[in-house]
Amino acid sequence: MGRTSVELGIWIDPDARVELVRRIRAGENVRNYFLRLGTRTGDIRECVMSGVRVSIDDADYLVAVVRDETEQRKADRALRRLAQGSAQLESEQFYMALVTDLVEALGFAIGFIGLLDPKAPGRIVTRAAYAHGRPREPFSYEAKGAPCECVLAGNVCIYAEHVAENFPDDAALARQGIAAYVGAPLRDDTGQVIGLLVAMHTHAIADTDLARSLVSVFAERVGAELARESANRALLASQTKFSALFHSSPVAMTVSRRDLDYIVVD
């Protein structure tokens, strides 16, 4: 008691409060005024406020509505970064950045990209993993008995709470204190499921629609990048095969453009 909202740390940006008060005192109606507010747990929430000044019995009052847009704004930032593409990043850096952005946008604890091991059906090998604020070393696990089985069947699967109880055979869920799970399949250019993108949290999911949408969109981007990598590998293999045949030929061979400028002579 007796402490102001600034002293309590509610206003993260005191200057924003000063400007808001000035506008209200000037008689302005405030619409979608952006502000950052602190909570008693130390979190910072990104909010917008709309308010009007009204007079009741010769006294002035402020009628205001504050809307918390923290999760939506995090998601928007993650989607903008996703749209920037991977031209400036190596593949492994791109996958790690994507998983990090997804986990942070959702406010979750863990996320990873996992691919089916072609040598061991049903086994997942991670391509990138992020847990509790930092990258994690690659790992592998069996999908049988885990919520990932649902995803590998081609479905976007979401368990908003009690996922560890629903999958008792997946001991890692209980061991890590996982309460919620969202996963989307990764597909190759033929539509075949080749892996999955997963995000997990130690608390129940508050906005399941947002979680489902974000994971689905990010999974599409991962799938596109994997397809690009596969196409590059196929092109390189084709070029290597051609080069080997060309240089091992017992007869003279040339490659030229239509204007007859020679490109390669063997």
Side-chain angles (χ1 to χ4, degrees), residues 4 8 15 23 43 49 73 95 113 122-123 147 151-152 162 168 187-188 218 221 225 240 252 261:
T4 68
L8 289 171
D15 289 344
R23 292 175 60 176
D43 293 336
M49 191 191 87
R73 287 174 177 265
Y95 292 128
I113 296 168
R123 188 164 187 80
V151 182
L152 294 176
H162 306 306
R187 302 178 185 273
D188 61 17
F218 274 63
R221 184 65 185 89
E225 184 67 13
T240 301
D261 285 345

Side-chain angles (χ1 to χ4, degrees), residues 74-86:
K74 286 181 179 178
D76 289 345
R77 288 193 291 269
L79 289 172
R80 284 197 296 270
R81 287 194 293 268
L82 185 66
Q84 292 173 358
S86 59

Side-chain angles (χ1 to χ4, degrees), residues 118-135:
K119 299 178 181 179
R123 188 164 187 80
I124 301 294
V125 179
T126 61
R127 186 73 183 267
Y130 183 83
H132 305 291
R134 60 183 181 181

Side-chain angles (χ1 to χ4, degrees), residues 13-47:
D13 304 309
D15 289 344
R17 178 183 178 278
V18 171
E19 174 61 15
L20 177 63
V21 171
R22 184 198 67 77
R23 292 175 60 176
I24 292 172
R25 286 177 174 171
E28 296 183 34
N29 289 335
V30 179
R31 294 283 186 272
N32 296 322
Y33 186 82
F34 177 74
L35 46 90
R36 298 192 304 155
L37 301 178
T39 69
R40 65 178 61 186
T41 60
D43 293 336
I44 297 177
R45 311 302 294 178
E46 299 180 8
C47 307

Side-chain angles (χ1 to χ4, degrees), residues 157-260:
C157 299
I158 182 166
Y159 301 91
E161 57 184 347
H162 306 306
V163 67
E165 290 90 332
N166 290 329
F167 293 90
D169 292 337
D170 188 348
L173 294 175
R175 185 171 62 249
Q176 298 179 74
I178 301 301
Y181 173 103
V182 188
L186 304 176
R187 302 178 185 273
D188 61 17
D189 52 8
T190 69
Q192 184 73 26
V193 175
I194 57 174
L196 71 175
L197 173 63
V198 171
M200 301 184 291
H201 198 28
T202 53
H203 302 289
I205 299 174
D207 190 337
T208 55
D209 290 337
L210 176 62
R212 184 189 299 272
S213 297
L214 265 186
V215 173
S216 297
V217 169
F218 274 63
E220 289 291 335
R221 184 65 185 89
V222 174
E225 184 67 13
L226 291 170
R228 185 189 68 81
E229 285 185 355
S230 178
N232 286 345
R233 287 194 299 269
L235 177 61
L236 179 60
S238 176
Q239 292 173 334
T240 301
K241 182 178 180 181
F242 171 78
S243 178
L245 290 173
F246 185 85
H247 291 292
S248 64
S249 173
V251 298
M253 298 178 64
T254 65
V255 177
S256 63
R257 294 189 292 265
R258 293 183 63 183
D259 59 9
L260 298 183

